[in-house]
Amino acid sequence: EGWRENIIYRLNTGEIVAIYRDISDRVRAEIALRESEQRFRLIIENADAIIILIDRNGIISLFDGKAVSLLGYKPGEFNGQPVFDVYKEYPDLNERFGKALKGERSQSIFKMKDFYFECLITPVSDVKESGALGIAINITEKVEKDNELKQYREHLEDIVQERTEELDLINSELTRELEFKGETERKLQEALNKEKELNLLKSRFISTASHEFRTPLTAVMTSVELIQRYGYKWDEERKTKHLERIKSSVEYLTNLMDDVLNVSRADAGKIEFKPVNSDIYDLCQRVVEEFRLTEGDKHKLSLIYPQERKLFKFDHTLMYTVLLNLISNAFKYSPDGGRVDLKVASDSEKLTISVRDEGIGVPVDDIPRLFEPFHRAENINEIRGTGLGLTIVKNAVDMHNGKINVVSELGKGTTFTVEIPIVE
């Protein structure tokens, strides 16, 4: 059931003494130790690694392992030698052994000759001895496979990059083709819209011209025929009346042709823009006096200038045209008379000119199209006009880099406001 140790002594008296001692625990411990040593030896001999054990002074006490032969050494070849001499060509490895003797654990990968090892260096100690243990596992095959995988991955990345560049090139070409196609379609649509617009303008012009030319020409023709037939019977007053009628009609036709030419020249970019420093008050006063002389007292025209007089930079001819057309429209579309105010104001950024009347107003649906050539509001009835005046005004304001705004209420009047940026 156990192990016993027998000790027999012969005494001087000739007697024999036998001592029996149970040593089962010691025997079992020795057996376990031998088995452990056998297992450790088996691991050392079969593990693809190098195992190095050093004492506290750095002297190798164990140098073994299956991988020792890979480096051209024999098991135990370096036993009794300082580890720092054996691995002097690997200063980093020696530094890690030195740290292990101080109690620091480390792990790293080293290349020795043509082989790669993953080396774990750790401090060890028991009741009798202390030192460090180094276990270097051969990972050459793993590293080579990793390198192969890396090269393959890089190769795949190169292929992906090439394919990506090819796809990017194809996408760029397709995008350019689509953009070109889209641009072509856009230009065709613009050309179509422009053609429709031109056809519409042509129709408006023909309709307007036929109406606006027919009325004054009919008046001229009638007066001429009457003078031819009955002029020799008339007194001077009656002749003068018809001559004035002819003159008025010719002047209207001349103004009409001038408006058409102005719009045409503006579209062709042939109107000269010559801004100079001028007194806007003088220009406004001149226009007001002209209308007071020609229009009589039916409308009360006022010039409101609530500031000190000073010079502004603008094109005198174009600004005269703006004032002339805006005030003329205010008079024309206020058939019952009423107040017409021309107001001028300014601040540090802009010059503001507004013309307000108490006339028939503009329908809401017509306001966005007021500045289109030949467009006339629906509520003008029989009031004569070409629909070109506001187009001319808009062109003149645009040449000053300004803007024009309209506020209107049917039956109560309209206000046109022009803003011109101040230029030093």
Side-chain angles (χ1 to χ4, degrees):
E1 294 180 359
W3 298 87
R4 291 182 300 175
E5 183 180 40
N6 299 327
I7 302 175
I8 300 175
Y9 297 96
R10 184 182 293 273
L11 302 176
N12 293 332
T13 60
E15 295 176 336
I16 297 173
V17 178
I19 301 174
Y20 298 92
R21 183 170 53 186
D22 186 358
I23 59 171
S24 298
D25 291 339
R26 190 182 73 184
V27 171
R28 281 193 289 269
E30 290 175 353
I31 293 172
L33 179 60
R34 284 197 298 272
E35 290 176 352
S36 177
E37 289 177 350
Q38 289 175 356
R39 284 195 296 271
F40 181 68
R41 173 56 56 186
L42 186 64
I43 292 172
I44 291 176
E45 291 176 351
N46 290 278
D48 195 8
I50 298 174
I51 299 174
I52 303 172
L53 183 64
I54 64 174
D55 61 19
R56 70 180 67 186
N57 297 315
I59 304 301
I60 298 175
S61 59
L62 176 66
F63 180 80
D64 208 342
K66 185 179 179 180
V68 167
S69 60
L70 294 175
L71 302 178
Y73 305 129
K74 296 178 181 179
E77 182 173 342
F78 299 113
N79 288 355
Q81 297 185 33
V83 70
F84 305 109
D85 292 340
V86 173
Y87 290 109
K88 59 184 177 182
E89 58 183 305
Y90 303 105
D92 188 53
L93 191 61
N94 279 338
E95 181 182 355
R96 293 177 184 272
F97 270 115
K99 291 181 178 179
L101 293 176
K102 296 178 181 179
E104 182 177 331
R105 184 177 184 273
S106 64
Q107 185 173 357
S108 59
I109 295 176
F110 291 95
K111 184 178 182 182
M112 300 179 183
K113 296 186 177 180
D114 295 327
F115 301 94
Y116 290 90
F117 293 89
E118 184 173 7
C119 188
L120 171 65
I121 300 177
T122 181
V124 294
S125 62
D126 54 29
V127 294
K128 294 181 179 180
E129 191 63 66
S130 64
L133 173 66
I135 302 175
I137 301 173
N138 182 14
I139 60 169
T140 304
E141 184 178 354
K142 177 180 180 298
V143 171
E144 290 176 349
K145 288 183 179 179
D146 288 344
N147 288 336
E148 290 178 1
L149 288 173
K150 181 181 179 182
Q151 292 176 359
Y152 183 67
R153 183 171 61 250
E154 291 176 349
H155 178 63
L156 286 178
E157 290 176 353
D158 291 339
I159 294 175
V160 171
Q161 180 65 26
E162 291 177 3
R163 296 295 181 268
T164 302
E165 291 176 355
E166 291 176 0
L167 289 174
D168 288 342
L169 180 61
I170 294 173
N171 287 335
S172 297
E173 292 176 353
L174 288 174
T175 301
R176 284 195 295 270
E177 290 179 5
L178 291 173
E179 289 177 350
F180 177 76
K181 181 179 179 181
E183 182 68 15
T184 302
E185 292 178 351
R186 186 184 64 79
K187 289 182 177 179
L188 288 174
Q189 187 61 44
E190 287 180 355
L192 179 62
N193 293 337
K194 189 68 175 178
E195 183 177 357
K196 290 180 179 179
E197 183 180 348
L198 290 175
N199 288 334
L200 180 60
L201 288 176
K202 180 180 177 182
S203 299
R204 288 180 185 171
F205 175 75
I206 293 173
S207 175
T208 301
S210 61
H211 178 270
E212 295 300 323
F213 276 85
R214 182 182 295 112
T215 301
L217 286 176
T218 300
V220 170
M221 184 61 68
T222 301
S223 295
V224 169
E225 289 179 352
L226 289 174
I227 291 174
Q228 286 177 338
R229 291 184 180 182
Y230 308 108
Y232 67 94
K233 297 181 180 180
W234 291 346
D235 55 22
E236 289 300 320
E237 182 180 355
R238 193 168 186 181
K239 289 180 181 180
T240 300
K241 178 180 178 181
H242 281 278
L243 290 174
E244 289 293 335
R245 185 180 181 187
I246 293 173
K247 179 182 177 182
S248 175
S249 297
V250 170
E251 287 178 349
Y252 178 80
L253 291 173
T254 300
N255 292 332
L256 175 60
M257 290 306 301
D258 286 342
D259 288 346
V260 173
L261 290 174
N262 278 334
V263 173
S264 176
R265 288 170 60 204
D267 289 341
K270 294 183 178 180
I271 294 181
E272 295 184 357
F273 180 58
K274 297 179 179 180
V276 295
N277 286 325
S278 302
D279 189 342
I280 190 68
Y281 179 85
D282 286 343
L283 179 60
C284 292
Q285 188 64 36
R286 170 189 163 190
V287 174
V288 168
E289 292 300 328
E290 289 178 1
F291 273 97
R292 285 173 177 170
L293 289 174
T294 57
E295 297 297 331
D297 298 331
K298 187 176 182 180
H299 298 86
K300 184 178 180 182
L301 177 59
S302 300
L303 172 59
I304 303 172
Y305 198 94
Q307 60 184 17
E308 294 182 1
R309 291 176 59 175
K310 55 183 177 180
L311 300 181
F312 298 95
K313 197 167 188 177
F314 59 89
D315 185 298
H316 196 277
T317 301
L318 293 177
M319 193 59 67
Y320 175 80
T321 302
V322 170
L323 295 173
L324 197 67
N325 277 282
L326 290 181
I327 297 176
S328 176
N329 281 351
F331 277 55
K332 183 190 302 182
Y333 298 112
S334 303
D336 297 329
R339 183 183 180 89
V340 176
D341 292 331
L342 169 60
K343 183 178 180 180
V344 180
S346 66
D347 55 28
S348 60
E349 297 180 353
K350 62 184 179 299
L351 169 66
T352 303
I353 301 172
S354 63
V355 176
R356 185 183 68 86
D357 63 54
E358 299 175 339
I360 61 176
V362 181
V364 174
D365 293 340
D366 284 308
I367 289 179
R369 301 181 59 193
L370 276 182
F371 302 103
E372 295 180 7
F374 305 110
H375 180 80
R376 305 194 72 202
E378 295 180 355
N379 62 334
I380 58 172
N381 298 323
E382 297 301 322
I383 301 175
R384 294 177 62 180
T386 62
L388 293 176
L390 290 178
T391 303
I392 294 171
V393 169
K394 182 67 165 56
N395 289 335
V397 173
D398 288 343
M399 294 186 74
H400 284 84
N401 290 324
K403 58 183 180 180
I404 184 169
N405 183 49
V406 185
V407 177
S408 185
E409 186 175 354
L410 286 177
K412 293 188 177 181
T414 303
T415 300
F416 284 87
T417 302
V418 174
E419 294 182 352
I420 305 295
I422 292 179
V423 180
E424 295 297 335

